[in-house]
Amino acid sequence: MRRLTTLFPSEFLEEHAEELGVVEREGKLQVPVLVWALVFGFAAGESRTLAGFRRSYNSTADETISPGGFYQRL
């Protein structure tokens, strides 16, 4: 985990997401948290469902996102 977060720091993920057009506007969704929830949440044996992904994201993020809001953002 430490190697990955060192290799891809939050600032890099935010800048790269902006360059790719992933971020349309600043809001609740935190791109680094989304990436790490996907990478570590599913790799750690979390149930591989969108609901599991949302729970993993919400457990890490500063602000939680409702199920409807989360699915809309995906």
Side-chain angles (χ1 to χ4, degrees):
M1 182 170 102
R2 187 171 295 156
R3 285 184 186 172
L4 282 174
T5 55
T6 301
L7 185 60
F8 300 110
S10 294
E11 295 81 21
F12 169 78
L13 294 174
E14 289 170 352
E15 290 170 6
H16 196 62
E18 197 170 312
E19 288 173 12
L20 291 174
V22 173
V23 179
E24 293 179 3
R25 63 182 174 82
E26 292 294 319
K28 284 186 175 183
L29 189 70
Q30 300 169 331
V31 172
V33 175
L34 186 70
V35 171
W36 298 131
L38 179 61
V39 171
F40 296 123
F42 287 147
E46 181 75 26
S47 67
R48 291 181 169 94
T49 64
L50 287 177
F53 181 35
R54 185 184 62 81
R55 283 190 298 273
S56 179
Y57 175 89
N58 280 340
S59 69
T60 309
D62 295 334
E63 293 186 49
T64 60
I65 296 179
S66 68
F70 185 80
Y71 299 131
Q72 181 181 14
R73 286 170 174 87
L74 287 180

